[in-house]
């Protein structure tokens, strides 16, 4: 099924930053940010055990447990089990994403895409989130950026384990939808080529943004649109560099990316356009994309996101981006 009808709007709230990504956030600030998202009418919240070794789920659950459960849509992820034993968060092997949650909880994280681990992961998430059900479950990071040359082996475990379990849970009505949540297009392309199981949607982070979209446009997005597999865009600001931050792909942005952002900003300024509005509206212009879920750690940022989605962006701005070669010639533009 399409999840477009399940999602309550085009703008959701991504909670990776609430797991103390890049910095330690006080509990009060995290709670105030979730509350701000709610107060601005956002009703889709996405989280994962990986975000701070359960910290993001715990913080999200604190606030949402006080809200009527039927009033919002909730997604989390499977593929990692959080244990009670401790480890050094800064010393974890996270592939290309080293040090990502070094300020998170010290609980040991184990990668496991098997059927049993999937069921256990869901059970653990429900407890941390203080809820009785999940709407969408994503299979998390089963891709090369985390698993290197082993990624296809991990993918196969997920295909025969997590995928089938989630397919069954959806068919039984335990969850409403499932898919993959990744930072790479390859596992999604592979999944679309399978006869079964059939995911409902994908959460694609950082691969359909103003800064990085050419690869996704080649095959993934046309195939997803054709097969009615919706795309939720994660990381529409490319880890923050498109929103005044210094990170790209979860690390310090390299010089060529910073230079490209400066060129986009200059055009935006010339046309009186906010950079966040440009980034958000570009990501949502493709027919396959149904929502974007920027993350935030301050209440004011949520207000900016809501305003960015509503901002009127002149057509001349998109034309200028295209003429300067800053976006692909075949990228659909906002109407």
């Amino acid at each position: 099924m399409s999840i477009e009808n399940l999602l309550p709007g085009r703008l959701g709230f991504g909670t990776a930053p609430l797991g103390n990504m890049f910095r330690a956030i006080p509990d009060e600030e995290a709670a105030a940010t979730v509350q701000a998202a709610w107060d601005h009418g956002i009703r889709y919240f996405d989280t994962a055990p990986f975000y701070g070794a359960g910290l993001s789920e715990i913080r999200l659950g604190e606030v949402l447990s006080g809200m009527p459960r039927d009033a919002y849509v909730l997604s989390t992820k499977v593929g990692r089990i959080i244990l009670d034993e401790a480890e050094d968060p800064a010393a974890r092997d996270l592939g290309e994403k080293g040090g990502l949650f070094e300020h998170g909880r010290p609980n040991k994280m184990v990668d496991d895409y098997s059927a049993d681990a999937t069921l256990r992961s869901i059970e653990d998430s429900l407890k941390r989130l203080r809820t009785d059900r999940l709407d969408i479950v994503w299979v998390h990071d089963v891709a090369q950026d985390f698993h290197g040359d082993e990624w296809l082996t991990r993918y196969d475990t997920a295909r025969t384990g997590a995928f089938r379990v989630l397919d069954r849970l959806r068919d039984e009505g335990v969850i409403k939808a499932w898919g993959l949540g990744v930072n790479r297009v390859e596992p999604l392309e592979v999944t679309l080529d399978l006869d079964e199981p059939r995911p409902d949607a994908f959460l694609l982070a950082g691969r359909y943004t103003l800064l990085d979209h050419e690869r996704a446009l080649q095959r993934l997005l046309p195939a997803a649109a054709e097969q009615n597999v919706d795309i939720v865009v994660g990381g529409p600001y490319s880890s923050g560099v498109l929103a005044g931050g210094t990170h790209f792909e979860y690390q310090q942005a390299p010089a060529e990316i910073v230079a490209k952002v400066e060129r986009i900003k200059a055009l935006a300024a010339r046309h009186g356009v906010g950079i966040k509005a440009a980034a958000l509206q570009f990501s949502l212009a493709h027919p396959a994309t149904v929502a974007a879920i920027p993350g935030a750690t301050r209440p004011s940022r949520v207000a900016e996101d809501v305003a960015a989605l509503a901002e009127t962006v002149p057509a001349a701005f998109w034309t200028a981006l295209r003429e300067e070669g800053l976006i692909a010639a075949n990228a659909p533009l906002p109407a």
Side-chain angles (χ1 to χ4, degrees):
M1 69 164 230
S2 161
I3 66 161
E4 192 167 9
N5 304 325
L6 174 62
L7 294 178
R10 303 276 278 163
L11 187 65
F13 184 72
T15 66
L18 300 187
N20 284 354
M21 185 165 80
F22 306 138
R23 71 183 179 99
I25 301 150
D27 287 337
E28 316 73 77
E29 194 178 317
T33 306
V34 178
Q35 185 65 48
W38 185 273
D39 293 344
H40 277 94
I42 291 173
R43 294 292 181 269
Y44 170 41
F45 298 86
D46 175 72
T47 185
F50 179 55
Y51 304 155
L55 181 60
S56 168
E57 288 185 322
I58 290 167
R59 285 173 158 174
L60 186 61
E62 283 284 314
V63 181
L64 291 187
S65 60
M67 308 302 183
R69 182 60 188 87
D70 290 342
Y72 63 90
V73 172
L74 180 61
S75 61
T76 192
K77 308 185 182 76
V78 295
R80 294 185 179 93
I81 298 287
I82 311 299
L83 305 180
D84 287 335
E85 58 193 271
E87 64 181 358
D88 177 3
R92 290 182 182 126
D93 177 14
L94 301 178
E96 297 172 15
K97 310 291 193 296
L100 195 53
F101 289 102
E102 59 189 6
H103 303 291
R105 296 161 81 219
N107 296 58
K108 187 170 185 180
M109 292 197 286
V110 180
D111 296 334
D112 194 337
Y113 296 96
S114 68
D116 287 349
T118 300
L119 291 168
R120 179 180 163 184
S121 181
I122 289 172
E123 208 173 291
D124 291 348
S125 287
L126 289 171
K127 285 179 193 149
R128 287 189 292 265
L129 286 159
R130 294 162 57 177
T131 185
D132 63 347
R133 67 184 187 276
L134 301 168
D135 298 299
I136 306 167
V137 178
W138 308 111
V139 181
H140 205 190
D141 290 331
V142 59
Q144 194 169 13
D145 54 335
F146 277 95
H147 304 296
D149 293 342
E150 290 289 296
W151 86 267
L152 282 167
T153 307
R154 298 292 175 105
Y155 181 91
D156 214 50
T157 304
R159 184 183 62 80
T160 56
F163 291 13
R164 288 177 184 171
V165 166
L166 296 175
D167 228 29
R168 190 187 82 229
L169 292 178
R170 179 197 56 205
D171 292 347
E172 291 171 356
V174 177
I175 60 175
K176 292 176 181 159
W178 74 275
L180 279 70
V182 292
N183 304 284
R184 290 284 181 271
V185 300
E186 293 84 356
L188 306 185
E189 291 175 346
V190 169
T191 305
L192 288 174
D193 286 340
L194 296 175
D195 290 332
E196 60 79 37
R198 302 299 317 156
D200 304 285
F202 296 135
L203 169 51
L204 179 62
R207 297 281 79 79
Y208 198 66
T209 71
L210 268 180
L211 291 177
D212 185 348
H213 53 269
E214 305 232 1
R215 176 71 204 269
L217 276 171
Q218 284 168 18
R219 181 168 165 241
L220 173 65
L221 292 180
E226 195 181 308
Q227 295 185 33
N228 292 319
V229 177
D230 294 328
I231 304 282
V232 174
V233 176
Y237 308 135
S238 292
S239 297
V241 74
L242 280 169
T246 59
H247 290 92
F248 173 73
E249 281 294 283
Y250 311 101
Q251 306 291 333
Q252 281 300 123
E256 66 272 17
I257 289 294
V258 173
K260 189 173 181 182
V261 171
E262 288 308 315
R263 287 177 64 202
I264 294 171
K265 275 185 181 165
L267 277 183
R270 201 177 310 154
H271 290 270
V273 172
I275 186 92
K276 271 191 163 185
L280 210 49
Q281 294 185 32
F282 174 83
S283 291
L284 288 169
H286 197 285
T289 63
V290 294
I293 50 167
T297 58
R298 293 187 176 89
S300 60
R301 297 278 186 259
V302 180
E304 288 172 14
D305 293 335
V306 172
L309 190 60
E311 189 176 317
T312 302
V313 178
F317 168 70
W318 302 115
T319 305
L321 277 183
R322 186 163 273 173
E323 282 171 355
E324 293 215 11
L326 287 166
I327 51 174
N330 60 336
L333 298 177

